[in-house]
Amino acid sequence: MSSVFDVVMIPLQLIIVFFTIYYFVISWFGLFGKMKQVKEYPEQKTFALIVCAHNEHAVIAQLVENLRKLNYSHKLYDIFVVADNCSDNTAQVAREAGAIVYERFSETGKGKGFAMDWMFQRLFSLDRQYDAVCVFDADNLVHPQFLKVMNDHLCSGEQVIQGYLDSKNPNDTWVSGMFAISFWMVNHVWHLAKYNIGLSCVLGGTGMCIDTAVLKRYGWGATCLAEDMEFTMKALMEDIPTTWAHDAVIYDEKPLTFMAAWNQRKRWAQGIFDVAGRYIPKMLKKGILEHNIVVLDAMINLIQPYFLLLSTFFVICTYIYNFVPFYTNVLYDVLPMQVWQLIGIGQYVFPVAVMWKIRASFKSWLYLLVYPVFIYSWIPITALGWIHRKDHVWNHTLHTRSISFNDVVIPDNVVEIGPKQVAFRKK
């Protein structure tokens, strides 16, 4: 029986069917598809390692010391720290740890994107020029093989590369535990999956490597609250996809409290809506005119927050439908019940498969039981992100966990993340 609401509800159901199948199919290539292999090359690429730090005296020394011990010729890389609008002794601590420090003070362009743009301009004016830049956050720790892996990817012709984002504190609290699970999921069922089938990944703000030729030609210019997503789309508009280095591991500090996680994710949502509003129209045009599936796929990625809001609206409608069937349900006409059941099972299989694959700790398995709380909390966060999408005020995440690399990585607990063995311990 048709209804006046069908003009909205039927297209909405078709959108839900498309996104559901789309995400479900892609996920399999990250969990069960053969990993794309990258040839190994001798050490040859030079790197500028850049860390943007705002009042990070508690953690910056550990990162600099960690970077100085990477398993790569020390003649081929330098460590730069941007002490950005610091009111503490971050600059002094970074210098004493062995970094080349630049201090930046600005009342107008506040935020990581502005600091990176500022640093790139100074980097390119130096006598020494580098083949690539790698960007890290001050709270990170980096696996010793990171630059070797990035060298291989650059020598293979890749230009914009994202490393594997892991957690250095997955068992501190239930919030950091769920945050870690979400990153493990995205690493496997999204980034690795897309890389395996030739689609573009997305930069993650840290652990990213960019060919300096790309930066010199097109500039950085990404200064919104999601500068990583913005540059990803900017590069893709120039036909430069973001690739994935599954064995280049970075350990990131996850928020300890729900409010800290809420504020961080709200900032991400605001930034993504900002980027989406500016890039979706021109990516749709480029993708259609050039028959470019990679660009269209990236555009779909930008639509994802809108899809979350639409699907939430539809779920609310289904509850009303149980009492008052006010629209025509076509979900089971488009896809048989058996397919929906398979997809429903997959929602539980994928997290379990990822956790098993990385051999997560027992405590992480316990956190998996409350993982849906983290997932559903994205709904109000995304709604607030859309409401405040034009708010560009940067909110700094406080980092206090002073952890050395030896506290995270040990040789007697080896976990196979990719084709190379990466040793680490979930604390």
Side-chain angles (χ1 to χ4, degrees), residues 6-131:
D6 284 350
V7 67
V8 172
M9 298 304 295
I10 289 180
L12 179 57
Q13 292 175 81
L14 296 178
I15 291 173
I16 289 172
V17 169
F18 170 78
F19 272 88
T20 301
I21 296 176
Y22 176 77
Y23 289 134
F24 184 74
V25 171
I26 285 180
S27 297
W28 285 91
F29 291 94
L31 286 180
F32 307 107
K34 185 178 180 180
M35 187 180 296
K36 185 177 179 180
Q37 299 295 310
V38 177
K39 181 182 175 181
E40 294 188 18
Y41 291 85
E43 297 178 3
Q44 55 184 282
K45 296 295 183 179
T46 57
F47 296 90
L49 311 186
I50 298 178
V51 183
C52 294
H54 173 68
N55 292 342
E56 300 283 11
H57 70 280
V59 295
I60 190 64
Q62 285 75 21
L63 173 59
V64 174
E65 291 167 2
N66 169 210
L67 293 174
R68 292 179 61 193
K69 298 177 182 178
L70 297 184
N71 188 16
Y72 199 76
S73 173
H74 289 186
K75 296 179 180 180
L76 296 179
Y77 73 93
D78 290 315
I79 305 166
F80 297 86
V81 171
V82 184
D84 186 34
N85 288 296
C86 291
S87 58
D88 64 358
N89 62 338
T90 293
Q92 177 186 347
V93 173
R95 285 194 186 95
E96 292 175 353
I100 303 169
V101 179
Y102 284 74
E103 296 187 64
R104 173 181 179 267
F105 297 95
S106 174
E107 290 299 323
T108 53
K110 291 185 177 181
K112 181 180 175 181
F114 289 102
M116 290 172 62
D117 206 8
W118 182 88
M119 186 61 215
F120 289 151
Q121 295 174 31
R122 280 143 188 81
L123 187 70
F124 298 151
S125 66
L126 297 177
D127 291 335
R128 182 180 188 182
Q129 295 296 292
Y130 302 88
D131 294 316

Side-chain angles (χ1 to χ4, degrees), residues 190-237:
W190 197 246
H191 290 305
L192 177 59
K194 288 198 170 191
Y195 184 58
N196 282 342
I197 58 179
L199 298 176
S200 178
C201 303
V202 176
L203 291 174
T206 185
M208 51 190 187
C209 177
I210 305 173
D211 192 315
T212 51
V214 173
L215 288 171
K216 289 178 179 178
R217 182 172 182 179
Y218 302 108
W220 175 252
T223 55
C224 76
L225 296 182
E227 78 287 334
D228 43 9
M229 178 72 77
E230 183 177 8
F231 189 79
T232 299
M233 301 307 161
K234 177 179 179 177
L236 200 50
M237 289 297 294

Side-chain angles (χ1 to χ4, degrees), residues 264-299:
Q264 187 179 71
R265 290 185 291 160
K266 177 175 172 288
R267 171 169 58 82
W268 293 346
Q270 290 172 238
I272 293 172
F273 277 119
D274 181 10
V275 176
R278 289 183 284 123
Y279 276 89
I280 285 177
K282 51 188 176 183
M283 296 188 82
L284 177 61
K285 180 180 178 181
K286 177 181 175 66
I288 292 175
L289 292 179
E290 300 179 4
H291 307 287
N292 192 327
I293 188 64
V294 177
V295 172
L296 290 175
D297 167 76
M299 183 203 67

Side-chain angles (χ1 to χ4, degrees), residues 389-400:
R389 64 193 182 281
K390 296 184 179 180
D391 182 2
H392 295 168
V393 177
W394 181 273
N395 293 313
H396 177 242
T397 302
L398 181 64
H399 300 123
T400 59

